[in-house]
Coordinates of all heavy atoms in Angstrom, one line a residue:
M1305 N 0.8 -1.2 0.0 CA 0.0 0.0 0.0 C 0.9 1.3 0.0 O 2.1 1.2 0.3 CB -0.9 0.0 1.2 CG -0.2 0.1 2.6 SD -1.4 0.3 3.9 CE -1.8 2.1 3.9
K1306 N 0.3 2.4 -0.4 CA 1.0 3.6 -0.3 C 0.8 4.3 1.1 O -0.2 4.1 1.7 CB 0.4 4.6 -1.4 CG 1.1 4.4 -2.8 CD 0.6 5.4 -3.7 CE 1.1 6.8 -3.4 NZ 0.7 7.8 -4.4
C1307 N 1.8 5.0 1.5 CA 1.7 5.8 2.8 C 0.5 6.7 2.6 O 0.4 7.4 1.6 CB 3.0 6.5 3.0 SG 3.0 7.6 4.4
R1308 N -0.3 6.8 3.7 CA -1.4 7.6 3.8 C -0.9 9.1 4.0 O -0.4 9.3 5.1 CB -2.3 7.2 4.9 CG -3.7 7.3 4.8 CD -4.5 6.6 5.9 NE -3.8 6.4 7.1 CZ -3.5 5.2 7.6 NH1 -4.0 4.1 7.0 NH2 -2.9 5.0 8.7
S1309 N -1.2 10.0 3.1 CA -0.7 11.3 3.2 C -1.4 12.0 4.4 O -2.6 11.9 4.7 CB -1.0 12.2 2.0 OG -0.5 13.4 2.0
G1310 N -0.6 12.7 5.3 CA -1.1 13.4 6.4 C -1.3 12.4 7.6 O -1.9 12.9 8.6
C1311 N -0.7 11.3 7.6 CA -0.9 10.3 8.8 C 0.2 10.7 9.8 O -0.1 11.2 10.9 CB -0.8 8.9 8.3 SG -0.6 7.7 9.6
G1312 N 1.4 10.4 9.5 CA 2.5 10.7 10.4 C 2.7 9.8 11.6 O 3.4 10.1 12.5
A1313 N 1.9 8.7 11.7 CA 1.9 7.9 12.9 C 3.3 7.4 13.2 O 3.8 7.4 14.3 CB 0.9 6.8 12.8
C1314 N 4.0 6.9 12.2 CA 5.3 6.3 12.4 C 6.4 7.4 12.7 O 7.4 7.1 13.3 CB 5.8 5.4 11.3 SG 5.7 6.1 9.6
C1315 N 6.1 8.6 12.4 CA 7.0 9.7 12.8 C 6.8 10.2 14.2 O 7.5 11.0 14.7 CB 6.8 10.9 11.8 SG 6.8 10.4 10.1
I1316 N 5.9 9.6 14.9 CA 5.6 9.9 16.3 C 5.9 8.7 17.2 O 6.6 8.7 18.1 CB 4.2 10.4 16.5 CG1 3.9 11.7 15.7 CG2 3.8 10.7 18.0 CD1 2.5 12.1 15.6
A1317 N 5.2 7.6 16.8 CA 5.2 6.4 17.7 C 6.5 5.7 17.7 O 6.9 5.1 18.7 CB 4.1 5.5 17.3
L1318 N 7.3 5.7 16.6 CA 8.5 4.9 16.5 C 9.7 5.6 17.1 O 9.8 6.8 17.1 CB 8.8 4.5 15.1 CG 7.9 3.5 14.4 CD1 8.4 3.2 13.0 CD2 7.9 2.1 15.2
S1319 N 10.6 4.9 17.7 CA 11.9 5.4 18.1 C 12.8 5.3 16.9 O 12.7 4.4 16.1 CB 12.5 4.7 19.3 OG 12.7 3.3 19.0
I1320 N 13.7 6.3 16.8 CA 14.7 6.4 15.7 C 16.0 6.7 16.3 O 16.2 7.7 17.1 CB 14.3 7.5 14.7 CG1 13.0 7.2 14.0 CG2 15.4 7.7 13.6 CD1 12.5 8.1 12.9
S1321 N 17.0 5.8 16.1 CA 18.3 5.9 16.7 C 19.3 6.7 15.9 O 20.3 7.2 16.5 CB 18.8 4.6 17.1 OG 18.9 3.8 15.9
S1322 N 19.0 6.9 14.7 CA 19.9 7.7 13.8 C 19.6 9.2 13.9 O 18.5 9.6 14.2 CB 19.9 7.2 12.4 OG 18.6 7.2 11.9
P1323 N 20.6 10.1 13.7 CA 20.4 11.5 13.8 C 19.3 12.0 12.8 O 19.3 11.5 11.7 CB 21.8 12.2 13.5 CG 22.8 11.0 13.6 CD 22.0 9.7 13.3
I1324 N 18.6 13.0 13.2 CA 17.6 13.7 12.4 C 17.9 15.1 12.5 O 18.3 15.6 13.6 CB 16.2 13.4 12.9 CG1 15.8 12.0 13.0 CG2 15.1 14.1 12.1 CD1 14.6 11.6 13.9
P1325 N 17.9 15.9 11.5 CA 18.1 17.3 11.6 C 17.3 18.0 12.7 O 16.1 17.8 12.7 CB 17.8 17.9 10.2 CG 18.0 16.8 9.3 CD 17.7 15.6 10.1
G1326 N 18.0 18.6 13.7 CA 17.3 19.2 14.8 C 17.2 18.2 16.0 O 16.8 18.6 17.1
M1327 N 17.5 16.9 15.7 CA 17.4 15.9 16.8 C 18.7 15.0 16.6 O 18.5 13.9 16.0 CB 16.1 15.1 16.7 CG 14.8 15.9 16.8 SD 13.3 14.9 16.6 CE 12.8 14.7 18.2
P1328 N 19.8 15.5 17.0 CA 21.1 14.7 16.7 C 21.2 13.3 17.3 O 21.9 12.5 16.8 CB 22.2 15.6 17.3 CG 21.4 16.6 18.2 CD 20.0 16.7 17.7
E1329 N 20.4 13.1 18.4 CA 20.4 11.8 19.1 C 19.3 10.9 18.5 O 19.0 9.8 19.1 CB 20.3 11.9 20.6 CG 21.2 12.9 21.2 CD 22.6 12.5 21.2 OE1 22.8 11.2 21.4 OE2 23.5 13.2 21.1
G1330 N 18.6 11.3 17.5 CA 17.4 10.6 17.1 C 16.3 11.0 18.0 O 16.3 12.0 18.6
K1331 N 15.3 10.1 18.0 CA 14.1 10.5 18.8 C 13.6 9.2 19.6 O 13.6 8.1 19.0 CB 13.0 11.1 18.0 CG 12.3 10.2 17.1 CD 11.1 10.9 16.5 CE 10.0 9.9 16.2 NZ 9.3 9.3 17.3
P1332 N 13.1 9.4 20.8 CA 12.4 8.3 21.5 C 11.1 8.0 20.9 O 10.5 8.9 20.3 CB 12.3 8.8 23.0 CG 12.9 10.2 23.0 CD 13.1 10.6 21.6
A1333 N 10.6 6.8 21.2 CA 9.2 6.5 20.9 C 8.2 7.4 21.5 O 8.3 7.9 22.6 CB 8.9 5.0 21.3
G1334 N 7.2 7.8 20.8 CA 6.2 8.7 21.3 C 6.4 10.2 21.2 O 5.6 11.0 21.5
V1335 N 7.6 10.5 20.7 CA 8.0 11.9 20.6 C 7.8 12.3 19.1 O 8.3 11.6 18.2 CB 9.4 12.2 21.0 CG1 9.9 13.6 20.7 CG2 9.5 11.9 22.5
R1336 N 7.2 13.4 18.9 CA 7.0 13.8 17.5 C 8.3 14.3 16.9 O 9.1 15.1 17.4 CB 6.0 15.1 17.6 CG 5.5 15.6 16.3 CD 4.5 16.8 16.5 NE 4.1 17.3 15.2 CZ 3.1 16.8 14.5 NH1 2.3 15.9 15.1 NH2 2.8 17.2 13.3
C1337 N 8.6 13.8 15.7 CA 9.8 14.2 15.0 C 9.6 15.7 14.7 O 8.6 16.3 14.2 CB 9.9 13.4 13.6 SG 11.3 13.9 12.7
L1338 N 10.8 16.4 14.9 CA 10.8 17.9 14.6 C 10.6 18.2 13.1 O 10.3 19.3 12.7 CB 12.2 18.5 15.0 CG 12.3 18.7 16.5 CD1 13.7 19.3 16.8 CD2 11.3 19.6 17.0
Q1339 N 10.8 17.1 12.3 CA 10.7 17.4 10.8 C 9.3 17.0 10.3 O 9.1 17.0 9.1 CB 11.8 16.5 10.1 CG 13.2 16.9 10.4 CD 13.5 18.4 10.1 OE1 12.9 19.0 9.2 NE2 14.4 19.0 10.8
L1340 N 8.4 16.7 11.2 CA 7.0 16.5 10.9 C 6.2 17.8 10.9 O 6.2 18.4 11.9 CB 6.4 15.5 11.8 CG 5.1 14.9 11.4 CD1 5.1 14.1 10.1 CD2 4.6 13.9 12.6
S1341 N 5.7 18.2 9.7 CA 4.9 19.4 9.7 C 3.6 19.4 10.4 O 3.2 18.3 10.8 CB 4.7 19.8 8.2 OG 3.6 19.0 7.7
A1342 N 3.0 20.6 10.6 CA 1.6 20.6 11.3 C 0.7 19.8 10.5 O -0.3 19.3 11.1 CB 1.2 22.0 11.5
E1343 N 0.9 19.6 9.2 CA 0.0 18.8 8.4 C 0.3 17.3 8.4 O -0.2 16.5 7.6 CB -0.1 19.3 6.9 CG -0.6 20.8 6.8 CD 0.4 21.8 7.2 OE1 1.6 21.6 7.1 OE2 0.0 22.9 7.7
N1344 N 1.3 17.0 9.3 CA 1.8 15.6 9.3 C 2.5 15.1 8.0 O 2.2 14.0 7.6 CB 0.7 14.6 9.8 CG 0.3 14.8 11.3 OD1 1.1 15.2 12.0 ND2 -1.0 14.6 11.5
L1345 N 3.2 16.0 7.5 CA 4.0 15.6 6.3 C 5.5 15.8 6.6 O 5.8 16.6 7.4 CB 3.6 16.6 5.1 CG 2.2 16.5 4.7 CD1 1.9 17.6 3.6 CD2 1.8 15.2 4.1
C1346 N 6.3 15.0 6.0 CA 7.8 15.0 6.3 C 8.4 16.2 5.6 O 8.3 16.4 4.3 CB 8.4 13.8 5.9 SG 10.2 13.8 6.1
L1347 N 9.0 17.1 6.3 CA 9.7 18.3 5.7 C 10.9 17.9 5.0 O 11.4 18.7 4.3 CB 10.0 19.3 6.8 CG 8.8 19.9 7.6 CD1 9.2 20.7 8.8 CD2 7.9 20.7 6.7
L1348 N 11.4 16.7 5.2 CA 12.6 16.3 4.5 C 12.4 15.4 3.3 O 13.3 14.8 2.8 CB 13.5 15.6 5.5 CG 14.0 16.3 6.7 CD1 14.8 15.4 7.6 CD2 14.8 17.5 6.3
Y1349 N 11.1 15.2 3.0 CA 10.8 14.2 1.9 C 11.6 14.5 0.6 O 11.7 15.7 0.2 CB 9.3 14.4 1.6 CG 8.8 13.3 0.7 CD1 8.8 11.9 1.0 CD2 8.3 13.6 -0.6 CE1 8.4 11.0 0.2 CE2 7.8 12.6 -1.4 CZ 7.9 11.3 -1.0 OH 7.4 10.3 -1.9
R1350 N 12.2 13.5 0.1 CA 13.1 13.6 -1.0 C 14.4 14.4 -0.8 O 15.1 14.7 -1.8 CB 12.4 14.1 -2.3 CG 11.2 13.1 -2.7 CD 10.9 13.2 -4.1 NE 10.0 12.1 -4.5 CZ 9.1 12.1 -5.4 NH1 8.9 13.2 -6.0 NH2 8.4 11.1 -5.6
K1351 N 14.7 14.8 0.4 CA 15.9 15.5 0.6 C 17.0 14.5 1.1 O 16.7 13.5 1.8 CB 15.7 16.6 1.7 CG 14.8 17.7 1.2 CD 14.8 18.9 2.1 CE 13.9 20.0 1.6 NZ 13.7 21.0 2.6
P1352 N 18.2 14.8 0.9 CA 19.3 13.8 1.3 C 19.5 13.8 2.8 O 19.9 12.7 3.3 CB 20.5 14.5 0.7 CG 20.2 15.8 0.3 CD 18.8 15.9 0.1
E1353 N 19.0 14.8 3.5 CA 19.1 14.7 5.0 C 18.1 13.7 5.7 O 18.1 13.5 6.8 CB 18.8 16.1 5.6 CG 19.7 17.2 5.1 CD 19.0 17.9 3.9 OE1 19.0 17.3 2.8 OE2 18.4 19.0 4.1
R1354 N 17.1 13.3 4.9 CA 16.1 12.4 5.4 C 16.8 11.1 5.9 O 17.5 10.4 5.1 CB 15.0 12.0 4.4 CG 13.8 11.4 5.0 CD 12.7 11.2 3.9 NE 11.4 10.9 4.4 CZ 10.6 10.0 3.8 NH1 10.9 9.5 2.7 NH2 9.5 9.8 4.4
P1355 N 16.6 10.6 7.1 CA 17.3 9.4 7.6 C 17.0 8.2 6.8 O 15.8 8.0 6.3 CB 16.7 9.3 9.0 CG 16.3 10.6 9.5 CD 15.8 11.3 8.2
A1356 N 18.0 7.4 6.6 CA 17.8 6.1 5.8 C 16.6 5.3 6.3 O 15.8 4.7 5.5 CB 19.1 5.3 5.8
V1357 N 16.5 5.2 7.6 CA 15.4 4.4 8.3 C 14.1 4.8 7.7 O 13.1 4.0 7.5 CB 15.5 4.4 9.7 CG1 15.3 5.7 10.3 CG2 14.6 3.4 10.4
C1358 N 13.9 6.2 7.5 CA 12.6 6.7 7.1 C 12.4 6.4 5.6 O 11.3 6.1 5.2 CB 12.6 8.2 7.3 SG 12.8 8.7 9.0
V1359 N 13.5 6.5 4.8 CA 13.4 6.2 3.4 C 13.0 4.8 3.1 O 12.2 4.4 2.3 CB 14.8 6.6 2.7 CG1 14.7 6.2 1.2 CG2 15.1 8.0 2.8
N1360 N 13.6 3.9 4.0 CA 13.4 2.4 3.8 C 12.1 1.9 4.4 O 11.7 0.8 4.1 CB 14.6 1.7 4.3 CG 15.9 2.0 3.6 OD1 15.8 2.2 2.3 ND2 17.0 2.1 4.2
L1361 N 11.5 2.6 5.3 CA 10.3 2.1 6.0 C 9.1 2.1 4.9 O 8.8 3.1 4.3 CB 9.9 3.1 7.1 CG 8.7 2.6 7.9 CD1 9.2 1.4 8.8 CD2 8.2 3.7 8.9
K1362 N 8.6 1.0 4.7 CA 7.5 0.8 3.8 C 6.1 0.7 4.4 O 6.0 -0.1 5.4 CB 7.8 -0.5 2.9 CG 9.1 -0.4 2.1 CD 9.0 0.5 0.9 CE 10.4 0.6 0.2 NZ 10.9 2.0 0.3
A1363 N 5.2 1.4 3.9 CA 3.8 1.3 4.4 C 3.3 -0.1 4.2 O 3.6 -0.7 3.2 CB 2.9 2.3 3.7
S1364 N 2.6 -0.6 5.1 CA 1.9 -2.0 4.9 C 0.6 -1.9 5.6 O 0.4 -1.2 6.6 CB 2.8 -3.1 5.5 OG 2.8 -3.0 7.0
R1365 N -0.3 -2.8 5.2 CA -1.6 -2.9 5.8 C -1.5 -3.2 7.3 O -2.2 -2.7 8.1 CB -2.5 -3.9 5.0 CG -3.9 -4.1 5.6 CD -4.7 -2.8 5.4 NE -4.9 -2.3 4.1 CZ -5.3 -1.1 3.8 NH1 -5.5 -0.2 4.8 NH2 -5.4 -0.7 2.6
Q1366 N -0.6 -4.1 7.6 CA -0.5 -4.6 9.0 C 0.0 -3.4 9.9 O -0.6 -3.1 11.0 CB 0.6 -5.6 9.1 CG 0.8 -6.2 10.5 CD 1.9 -7.2 10.6 OE1 2.8 -7.2 9.8 NE2 1.8 -8.1 11.6
M1367 N 1.0 -2.6 9.5 CA 1.5 -1.5 10.2 C 0.5 -0.3 10.2 O 0.2 0.3 11.3 CB 2.8 -1.1 9.7 CG 3.4 0.2 10.4 SD 5.1 0.6 9.9 CE 4.8 1.5 8.4
C1368 N 0.1 0.0 9.1 CA -0.6 1.3 8.9 C -2.2 1.2 9.2 O -2.9 2.2 9.4 CB -0.5 1.8 7.5 SG 1.2 1.9 7.0
G1369 N -2.7 0.0 9.2 CA -4.1 -0.2 9.5 C -4.9 0.5 8.5 O -4.5 0.8 7.4
S1370 N -6.1 0.9 8.9 CA -7.0 1.5 7.9 C -7.2 3.0 8.3 O -7.9 3.7 7.6 CB -8.4 0.8 7.9 OG -9.0 0.7 9.2
N1371 N -6.6 3.4 9.4 CA -6.6 4.8 9.8 C -5.5 5.1 10.7 O -4.8 4.3 11.2 CB -7.9 5.2 10.4 CG -8.3 4.4 11.6 OD1 -7.5 4.4 12.6 ND2 -9.4 3.8 11.6
R1372 N -5.3 6.4 11.0 CA -4.1 6.9 11.8 C -4.1 6.3 13.2 O -3.1 5.9 13.8 CB -4.2 8.4 11.9 CG -3.0 9.1 12.6 CD -3.1 10.5 12.3 NE -1.8 11.1 12.8 CZ -1.7 11.7 13.9 NH1 -2.7 11.8 14.7 NH2 -0.5 12.2 14.2
G1373 N -5.4 6.2 13.8 CA -5.5 5.7 15.2 C -5.0 4.2 15.2 O -4.4 3.8 16.1
E1374 N -5.4 3.4 14.2 CA -5.0 2.0 14.2 C -3.4 1.9 14.0 O -2.8 1.1 14.7 CB -5.6 1.3 13.0 CG -7.1 1.0 13.3 CD -7.8 0.2 12.2 OE1 -7.1 -0.3 11.3 OE2 -9.0 0.1 12.2
A1375 N -2.9 2.8 13.2 CA -1.4 2.8 13.0 C -0.7 3.2 14.3 O 0.3 2.5 14.7 CB -1.1 3.8 11.9
L1376 N -1.2 4.2 15.0 CA -0.6 4.6 16.2 C -0.6 3.5 17.3 O 0.3 3.2 17.9 CB -1.3 5.8 16.8 CG -0.9 7.2 16.2 CD1 -1.9 8.3 16.5 CD2 0.6 7.6 16.5
Q1377 N -1.7 2.8 17.3 CA -1.9 1.7 18.3 C -0.9 0.6 18.0 O -0.3 0.0 18.8 CB -3.4 1.2 18.3 CG -3.7 0.2 19.5 CD -3.4 0.8 20.8 OE1 -3.9 1.9 21.2 NE2 -2.5 0.2 21.7
Y1378 N -0.9 0.2 16.7 CA 0.0 -0.9 16.3 C 1.5 -0.5 16.6 O 2.2 -1.4 17.2 CB -0.2 -1.2 14.8 CG 0.8 -2.3 14.3 CD1 0.5 -3.6 14.4 CD2 2.0 -1.9 13.7 CE1 1.3 -4.6 13.9 CE2 2.9 -2.9 13.2 CZ 2.6 -4.2 13.4 OH 3.5 -5.2 13.0
L1379 N 1.8 0.7 16.3 CA 3.3 1.0 16.4 C 3.6 1.2 17.9 O 4.7 0.8 18.4 CB 3.5 2.4 15.7 CG 3.4 2.2 14.2 CD1 3.3 3.5 13.5 CD2 4.7 1.4 13.7
R1380 N 2.7 1.7 18.8 CA 3.0 1.7 20.2 C 3.1 0.3 20.7 O 4.0 0.0 21.5 CB 1.7 2.4 20.9 CG 1.7 3.9 20.8 CD 0.7 4.4 21.8 NE 0.3 5.8 21.4 CZ -1.0 6.1 21.0 NH1 -1.9 5.1 21.0 NH2 -1.2 7.2 20.6
D1381 N 2.3 -0.6 20.4 CA 2.4 -2.0 20.8 C 3.7 -2.6 20.3 O 4.4 -3.3 21.1 CB 1.2 -2.9 20.2 CG -0.1 -2.4 20.9 OD1 -0.1 -1.7 21.9 OD2 -1.2 -2.9 20.4
L1382 N 4.1 -2.3 19.1 CA 5.4 -2.8 18.6 C 6.6 -2.3 19.4 O 7.5 -3.0 19.8 CB 5.5 -2.4 17.1 CG 6.7 -2.9 16.4 CD1 6.6 -4.4 16.1 CD2 6.9 -2.2 15.0
E1383 N 6.6 -1.0 19.7 CA 7.6 -0.4 20.5 C 7.7 -1.0 21.8 O 8.7 -1.4 22.4 CB 7.5 1.1 20.6 CG 7.9 1.9 19.4 CD 9.4 2.0 19.3 OE1 10.1 1.7 20.3 OE2 9.9 2.3 18.2
E1384 N 6.5 -1.3 22.4 CA 6.5 -1.9 23.8 C 7.0 -3.3 23.7 O 7.8 -3.7 24.6 CB 5.0 -1.9 24.3 CG 4.8 -2.3 25.7 CD 5.4 -1.4 26.7 OE1 5.6 -0.2 26.4 OE2 5.8 -1.9 27.8
A1385 N 6.7 -4.0 22.7 CA 7.1 -5.4 22.6 C 8.6 -5.6 22.3 O 9.2 -6.6 22.6 CB 6.3 -6.1 21.5
T1386 N 9.2 -4.5 21.7 CA 10.6 -4.7 21.3 C 11.6 -3.8 22.1 O 12.8 -3.7 21.8 CB 10.7 -4.3 19.8 OG1 10.2 -2.9 19.6 CG2 10.0 -5.2 18.9
K1387 N 11.1 -3.1 23.1 CA 12.0 -2.2 23.9 C 12.9 -3.1 24.7 O 12.5 -4.2 25.2 CB 11.2 -1.2 24.7 CG 10.6 -1.8 26.0 CD 9.9 -0.6 26.7 CE 9.2 -1.1 27.9 NZ 8.4 -0.1 28.6
P1388 N 14.1 -2.7 24.9 CA 15.0 -3.5 25.7 C 14.5 -3.7 27.1 O 13.9 -2.8 27.7 CB 16.3 -2.6 25.8 CG 16.1 -1.6 24.7 CD 14.7 -1.4 24.5
A1389 N 14.7 -4.9 27.7 CA 14.3 -5.1 29.1 C 15.1 -4.3 30.0 O 16.3 -4.0 29.9 CB 14.5 -6.6 29.4
S1390 N 14.4 -3.8 31.1 CA 15.2 -3.1 32.1 C 15.3 -4.0 33.4 O 14.3 -4.6 33.7 CB 14.5 -1.7 32.4 OG 13.1 -2.0 32.7
F1391 N 16.5 -4.1 33.9 CA 16.7 -5.0 35.1 C 17.0 -4.2 36.3 O 17.4 -3.1 36.2 CB 17.9 -5.9 34.8 CG 17.6 -6.9 33.7 CD1 18.1 -6.7 32.4 CD2 16.8 -8.0 33.9 CE1 17.8 -7.5 31.4 CE2 16.5 -8.9 32.9 CZ 17.0 -8.7 31.6
Ligands
LIG1464 S1 1.9 4.7 9.6 FE1 1.9 4.1 7.5 S2 0.4 5.5 6.6 FE2 1.0 6.3 8.6 S3 2.8 7.7 8.0 FE3 3.7 5.7 8.6 S4 3.9 4.6 6.7 FE4 2.5 6.3 6.3
LIG1465 S1 12.4 12.6 9.2 FE1 10.5 12.7 8.1 S2 9.9 10.5 7.7 FE2 11.5 10.5 9.3 S3 10.5 10.5 11.2 FE3 10.9 12.6 10.8 S4 9.1 13.4 9.7 FE4 9.0 11.2 9.7

């Protein structure tokens, strides 16, 4: 499927460990990317500064669901299931 324009769920819910312009340490899960516009569009789209992880992330029915709320829920659950254990 194609990425739903104006969704931006993965730009908020996912953690990104590589540097993003304005966020040199990347971003934690649940934090809005500084490069996400008010319209939930990537300000770095097609620019070389866009992190490789973002370029390579492909929309899928499983991840994106049928609306933004479903995508946010799926991605939150995924982050929770894959976060490092704390001892
Ligand atoms: S969750 Fe899917 S539809 Fe939403 S911004 Fe990410 S790739 Fe696009
Ligand atoms: S750089 Fe763009 S695609 Fe990547 S998380 Fe930020 S807004 Fe989303």
